[in-house]
Amino acid sequence: MRDLGVGFSHLINGQRWVVRHGRWLGIGLVPGLITLVVYVGALVGLGYGADDLAAWATPFADDWSSPWLGLLRTTLTVLVFAFGLFLAVITFTAVTLLVGQPFYEALSEEVDRAEGGEAPESGLPLWRELWISARDSVRILVRVALYGLLLFAFGFVPVAGQTVVPLIGFCVTGYFLAEELTAVALQRRGMVLKDRLVLLRGRKLLILGFGVPLGLAFLVPFVAVFLMPGAVAGATLLARELVGEDGRPDGDPDDGADDRESADGGTPALSPPHPLGD
């Protein structure tokens, strides 16, 4: 359970870092604001059209008597909007990272320098980094959509659909938010998506401690914009812990960065990082 608190502390420390370095906070608001305008428009449109979508999807219920017709379509309308909000929270991070890729790369590098004296670099041109980020984001969003559809379906289960399913949804949201954000720092360390997912699965509580509170905060649109720069900074701190670079004095060699526990001892062993383009 300690990892839950450690993950949350990285989130808080990331916000503190950008507050102490106000220039990074100011620049980092621009990509989030651009993305926010687009997403608010989409959610408003979904809010107006969700009831029509529910009616279109349930023609078999047209002859149902009250209150069953209203109950069915109201429940479906709420679930449709909740599913749209779920996808919006997840994709907001991915889209904002793409819009602000050069800034967030520079921010992550600056955090690395402040914490460890050096910042790993991928050595790839910007267009290649954008392509890899977009490709990996699509792969993650496919996974998220599958989870979302399953949770949407289980949402119709009495009691559990209104209690357990939302809790699972928040955990899924937080987990994949953390993946998207730590990707900025881990890609610079030559880690492809497959290795990143293995790394995150080895410290699930740490990831949830970081991602779940952030996912809850991201439900408030304007809060998401202001937290985004600090989330990238915090995710860099989180990535440093995942690869064993945290807690050493500046300039110390990375003696333990490649050490991994065996699969039967805790964190699964990772293969050497692949070239990002593979």
Side-chain angles (χ1 to χ4, degrees):
M1 297 297 290
R2 174 182 174 275
D3 269 358
L4 284 173
V6 174
F8 183 68
S9 71
H10 287 315
L11 176 61
I12 298 301
N13 289 334
Q15 302 301 324
R16 289 174 176 169
W17 194 95
V18 294
V19 169
R20 292 197 304 268
H21 302 77
R23 178 174 68 92
W24 294 101
L25 176 61
I27 299 173
L29 295 179
V30 177
L33 287 171
I34 293 172
T35 308
L36 175 66
V37 170
V38 175
Y39 272 60
V40 167
L43 287 174
V44 168
L46 180 62
Y48 277 109
D51 53 346
D52 293 332
L53 180 61
W56 171 83
T58 56
F60 57 85
D62 287 341
D63 298 327
W64 288 13
S65 60
S66 179
W68 306 114
L69 174 61
L71 183 62
L72 172 66
R73 289 183 172 169
T74 299
T75 300
L76 186 57
T77 297
V78 171
L79 288 173
V80 166
F81 188 80
F83 180 60
L85 188 61
F86 170 77
L87 290 181
V89 171
I90 292 294
T91 59
F92 180 87
T93 300
V95 173
T96 304
L97 288 174
L98 285 175
V99 172
Q101 176 81 10
F103 163 77
Y104 293 127
E105 285 280 353
L107 169 59
S108 180
E109 290 177 3
E110 190 65 25
V111 173
D112 267 329
R113 291 190 188 96
E115 296 297 316
E118 61 180 30
E121 296 182 4
S122 67
L124 297 175
L126 177 60
W127 70 268
R128 186 66 175 168
E129 291 182 347
L130 288 172
W131 162 249
I132 292 170
S133 296
R135 181 193 65 190
D136 288 350
S137 293
V138 169
R139 292 174 177 174
I140 289 296
L141 293 178
V142 168
R143 288 175 167 86
V144 172
L146 291 175
Y147 277 108
L149 288 172
L150 286 174
L151 293 173
F152 179 79
F154 282 115
F156 289 97
V157 177
V159 183
Q162 293 74 50
T163 55
V164 177
V165 170
L167 291 176
I168 296 174
F170 284 128
C171 290
V172 171
T173 299
Y175 186 87
F176 285 109
L177 274 177
E179 195 289 324
E180 289 281 359
L181 288 162
T182 54
V184 176
L186 294 177
Q187 281 179 2
R188 290 191 290 105
R189 288 162 169 82
M191 297 191 70
V192 295
L193 177 60
K194 178 182 177 181
D195 285 342
R196 297 200 306 268
L197 291 175
V198 171
L199 189 64
L200 268 62
R201 282 197 296 268
R203 302 285 299 276
K204 291 186 182 72
L205 291 179
L206 179 70
I207 302 307
L208 293 177
F210 179 90
V212 172
L214 186 62
L216 290 171
F218 273 21
L219 291 174
V220 184
F222 289 102
V223 171
V225 172
F226 284 98
L227 291 184
M228 191 64 187
V232 174
T236 303
L237 299 175
L238 179 62
R240 291 176 60 84
E241 171 148 339
L242 287 170
V243 299
E245 296 176 5
D246 63 312
R248 287 190 307 277
D250 290 355
D252 279 4
D254 188 13
D255 293 331
D258 293 326
D259 292 338
R260 300 289 185 270
E261 293 179 23
S262 62
D264 58 350
T267 305
L270 295 179
S271 58
H274 303 289
L276 282 175
D278 287 356

